[in-house]
Amino acid sequence: MVKFTEKERSTIRAIWEKVNIDEVGPDALARVLIVYPWTERYFGTFGDIFTASAVLNNAKVVAHGKVVLKALDEAVKNMDNIKKTYAYLSRLHYEVFHVDPDNFRLLADCITIAIACKVKSALDPQVQATWKKFLSAVVDAMNSQYY
Amino acid sequence: MLSKRERKLIAEIWEKLTPVAEDIGSDALLRMFASFPGTKTYFSHLDISSHSAHLLSHGKKIVLAIAEGAKDISQLTVTLAPLQTFHAYQLRIDPSNFKLFSHCMLVTLACHMGDDFTPVAHAAMDKYLSAFAAVLAEKYR
């Protein structure tokens, strides 16, 4: 189980407080679809997501981006129990959506970069490392029900 | 595969960053050392603390090489030939580390450029850094 020190918890919360879910969520998901176009395979019902401009103007991408980041809020609120908090989501992504779990790592990277664009110097190297520790725990939790 | 537009965008971005090569390079290295402590093992002979002379000069070296390659991406294998040999036979850095550095460079660029690091720029840059790393590792085996 991942253990966070008090300092790490407050670092993670401080960064999360700066995140506007309605902005960063859609941006992060758009980056996944634009930077790693093969991820389009999971979004067949979203309509046109086959060019960067289509992705950036797609209402379903915006809506889903917000959904994804709202779920991350649950992890921030339950840092000591991320695995349990995400068990259902993990099972869902495996059994229903059939998502290759490597994509969770790609999404985590895009979330970090989307946040970096907004908070800039607030995400210094140490803060980035702590944030990465948190996202790695989330990625592990998303992998946990794949068997 | 990088389109003509992407190549132009990459060349423009790196030309703008060349004057601050030291800052960009050392920032990316610091991020890599903090997030991936295993990478520090390649630098046991240098002082890689924040603002150290070694860190700044090393960061500058790396960024200038990346910027040089960006001037003509179609010639990457020619431009990087000496560095390919250096990395394969002398440095022998496990090439999986290039991915780690690339990710940290993307974060550095995002922090530096803010909203100008658009998803399109991000995609082009990720492709370029991947191509750069692949060429760098070509002589390994």
Side-chain angles (χ1 to χ4, degrees):
Chain A
M1 206 191 71
V2 181
K3 289 215 158 82
F4 296 100
T5 64
E6 232 1 273
K7 184 163 186 239
E8 286 171 335
R9 284 167 206 279
S10 64
T11 299
I12 292 161
R13 282 188 204 120
I15 280 296
W16 189 242
E17 232 151 76
K18 294 186 163 68
V19 172
N20 177 345
I21 287 178
D22 289 342
E23 241 184 1
V24 172
D27 185 41
L29 186 58
R31 285 176 191 273
V32 170
L33 289 164
I34 291 169
V35 181
Y36 312 108
W38 53 90
T39 55
E40 287 157 12
R41 73 193 305 284
Y42 299 112
F43 300 97
T45 58
F46 277 32
D48 188 1
I49 45 170
F50 307 115
T51 60
S53 53
V55 169
L56 293 166
N57 288 296
N58 188 305
K60 286 189 174 174
V61 172
V62 171
H64 197 69
K66 294 179 189 177
V67 165
V68 169
L69 235 67
K70 280 199 184 97
L72 200 56
D73 189 48
E74 289 304 305
V76 176
K77 292 193 175 111
N78 293 283
M79 258 183 257
D80 290 322
N81 223 342
I82 297 176
K83 227 174 219 170
K84 197 165 171 213
T85 309
Y86 271 49
Y88 164 72
L89 272 175
S90 175
R91 199 89 198 116
L92 186 71
H93 281 71
Y94 175 50
E95 275 196 340
V96 178
F97 303 134
H98 309 292
V99 173
D100 181 339
D102 194 53
N103 292 294
F104 304 141
R105 185 183 54 84
L106 300 183
L107 176 57
D109 285 351
C110 285
I111 289 172
T112 301
I113 288 168
I115 291 176
C117 286
K118 290 298 175 197
V119 308
K120 296 172 106 177
S121 58
L123 194 79
D124 71 32
Q126 271 315 124
V127 172
Q128 179 190 340
T130 303
W131 178 250
K132 173 182 167 290
K133 181 177 170 178
F134 168 68
L135 283 187
S136 299
V138 172
V139 168
D140 278 346
M142 283 305 288
N143 271 269
S144 66
Q145 299 302 312
Y146 277 64
Y147 51 76
Chain B
M1 249 178 24
L2 282 147
S3 69
K4 235 190 221 164
R5 194 182 287 179
E6 285 175 318
R7 287 168 197 243
K8 186 162 173 279
L9 180 59
I10 297 295
E12 278 168 5
I13 291 175
W14 285 108
E15 206 194 332
K16 272 197 206 125
L17 294 174
T18 300
V20 288
E22 239 179 26
D23 299 328
I24 297 293
S26 59
D27 189 62
L29 283 170
L30 279 173
R31 289 179 186 283
M32 186 181 72
F33 296 144
S35 284
F36 308 104
T39 57
K40 291 192 281 187
T41 58
Y42 291 101
F43 296 88
S44 51
H45 59 295
L46 296 178
D47 172 13
I48 50 170
S49 55
S50 180
H51 302 299
S52 78
H54 285 161
L55 186 77
L56 292 170
S57 89
H58 205 77
K60 186 178 187 183
K61 234 182 267 186
I62 296 175
V63 166
L64 290 182
I66 295 174
E68 192 59 34
K71 287 182 186 158
D72 191 352
I73 294 174
S74 65
Q75 293 299 301
L76 219 46
T77 309
V78 174
T79 315
L80 291 181
L83 282 174
Q84 282 177 321
T85 308
F86 189 50
H87 281 74
Y89 295 105
Q90 274 175 262
L91 297 179
R92 288 169 297 185
I93 296 171
D94 189 324
S96 60
N97 292 292
F98 300 153
K99 243 181 271 180
L100 307 183
F101 181 73
S102 296
H103 170 70
C104 290
M105 178 55 81
L106 292 177
V107 177
T108 293
L109 293 176
C111 290
H112 186 83
M113 297 170 63
D115 287 333
D116 285 345
F117 195 59
T118 62
V120 170
H122 174 176
M125 192 60 72
D126 190 41
K127 284 199 261 184
Y128 172 58
L129 292 178
S130 302
F132 192 95
V135 170
L136 208 55
E138 250 168 35
K139 289 187 178 146
Y140 271 60
R141 57 175 178 175

